[in-house]
Structure formats: C-alpha cells, structure tokens
Amino acid sequence: RRGSAEKVLSLRRANEIRAPEIEVKWHGAIPVVSLVQFGQTTANLFVDVAEDVAKQSPDVFVLDLRGNPGGLLNAANVLLSAFMGPDKVFLRLKQRGTMNELKTTYEQKIGDAVHIYVLVDEYSAAGAEIVATILQEYGRATVAGRQTGGYTTIQEVSVFTNGDMLKITVAEWLTTKGLSLHQKGVQPDILLSSDDPQEQMQQILGIIRSLPK
C-alpha cells in the first residue's frame, strides 16, 4: 500500500521464493542479523538466532532492517520481545474511533546490557518501522541509516482461489508515545551519509568499534 490506494496483488507460489528471510554474519565480535521481511519463518528463526548470539556474550547487536517492507505484526512482537521481554506496550492501534494497546508477549533473549543498533533506510516499512521506533522510544536501541517511509496502516489480507490477494486497511498504528509516523517515518539517531549498502555497513561498524569499551 502506498498513499490511499488499495491494490490487488498477485502472489508467487512459496516454492518460487528463493531469498532467505534471515541472515547472520559476524564482523569480529559484532553480530549482524539481517531480516528481509517479517514472516512467520522470520519469527521462528529469530528466536533461535537470538539465543545463539546471546551465548557468545556480545556487547552489541546489529539488527539490519534496510529494505524490509514489514509483514506479520506478530513477527514484530517476537522481535521486540526478544530485546525487551514481555508485558511492554509496543503499539497503540487506532481503529474505528477506539484506541487499543498491544503488549509484547514473549520471553526476552538478548539481555539489557547488550546495546542494539537498528539499521533502516527509505525502504524499511510497516513492521520494520515498528521495531525500529519502539526500540528507539524505549531507549533500547540506536537507530542508524536513512529516514524510513512512514507506512503506519494495519491491513487484513483476503486470498482468492486464483491466488490473488486483497489488502484492506483496518487500523492505523501509533508509537508508545501516541505519535503517528505516517509519511514522516523513523528519524535515525545516526544518519549514514553513503547511498551504498556495503559502505553504510562499514560506517556503522566503524562507529561501533570507535566507542569506548
């Protein structure tokens, strides 16, 4: 969804999708976990990845959400729970004149002593923006990269027998402070100057390594 227009999209079959949803790379003592979308596979795998990373006792954790268009709301819940634990308000839903709070529901995997860096860009949207801005609001993470797109709608998906799908907007999400990021996006704490993804990664790794231990 972009703007106010609704679109009918054609889905590819699952066996045609080749890109992995999650990738883990270690740059020396710095783990970088990249997520390309927020699907159910992401949620399941991220818990295992977070547990494995925690066993190595890193000082920092880099979560790369650049280019991530979002996806399932529960996947955002899983990620935020892994960093903050359960019972934390992570979203306010504005729906049909009412306001409801959503709270994290899963066990924390990455301890509070581990500082989080979240990488975003103009293609980070929806669930990726939720994770970035909520970690930022709680003071749990430093957000680096570029301003995000500001996609703040919650949608329900109807799938037809021919494989097409229709997304219908049913709510708008606000941050824990009640702010709307619609068309404003997440503002990075650290603005990375390069347009090249690899150079951006080297910039944030250089910043992290330059910090006092």
Side-chain angles (χ1 to χ4, degrees):
R1 173 185 172 91
R2 292 180 180 273
S4 60
E6 298 285 350
K7 295 183 179 181
V8 177
L9 304 177
S10 178
L11 293 175
R12 293 191 299 170
R13 295 183 181 274
N15 60 10
E16 295 176 0
I17 299 174
R18 304 297 184 184
E21 290 192 11
I22 187 167
E23 181 180 70
V24 184
K25 289 185 178 181
W26 285 82
H27 297 260
I30 303 173
V32 176
V33 178
S34 304
L35 305 182
V36 299
Q37 64 179 354
F38 281 9
Q40 190 56 52
T41 301
T42 307
N44 294 336
L45 289 177
F46 186 80
V47 172
D48 295 335
V49 166
E51 290 177 343
D52 288 342
V53 170
K55 291 176 183 177
Q56 305 302 317
S57 301
D59 294 322
V60 299
F61 186 113
V62 178
L63 180 63
D64 188 357
L65 300 181
R66 291 174 299 171
N68 187 315
L72 299 179
L73 184 58
N74 188 58
N77 176 19
V78 171
L79 264 70
L80 289 168
S81 296
F83 295 121
M84 302 193 304
D87 299 319
K88 301 290 195 304
V89 175
F90 76 93
L91 214 60
R92 300 182 190 277
L93 287 184
K94 184 178 180 181
Q95 183 176 21
R96 297 175 183 173
T98 63
M99 191 75 72
N100 297 304
E101 291 183 344
L102 298 185
K103 294 185 178 182
T104 53
T105 56
Y106 300 100
E107 180 182 351
Q108 185 170 0
K109 301 297 181 181
I110 303 297
D112 292 338
V114 180
H115 190 72
I116 313 303
Y117 290 83
V118 182
L119 298 182
V120 295
D121 62 13
E122 59 270 34
Y123 304 109
S124 305
E129 292 179 287
I130 291 172
V131 170
T133 195
I134 300 311
L135 291 175
Q136 186 183 51
E137 282 195 346
Y138 273 95
R140 188 68 180 90
T142 299
V143 177
R146 298 298 185 91
Q147 179 180 342
T148 64
Y151 300 103
T152 60
T153 55
I154 302 294
Q155 298 177 325
E156 289 182 352
V157 179
S158 297
V159 180
F160 300 101
T161 55
N162 65 355
D164 287 343
M165 103 180 154
L166 175 66
K167 292 182 177 181
I168 302 175
T169 298
V170 296
E172 179 186 6
W173 63 265
L174 307 176
T175 73
T176 56
K177 295 181 179 179
L179 302 177
S180 173
L181 301 185
H182 180 62
Q183 296 184 343
K184 300 176 184 177
V186 181
Q187 303 293 331
D189 301 299
I190 301 173
L191 185 64
L192 300 180
S193 58
S194 176
D195 292 325
D196 182 79
Q198 293 184 348
E199 289 183 3
Q200 289 178 355
M201 180 62 69
Q202 292 306 311
Q203 284 180 345
I204 192 60
L205 291 175
I207 291 170
I208 294 171
R209 288 167 178 151
S210 68
L211 297 175
K213 302 297 183 180

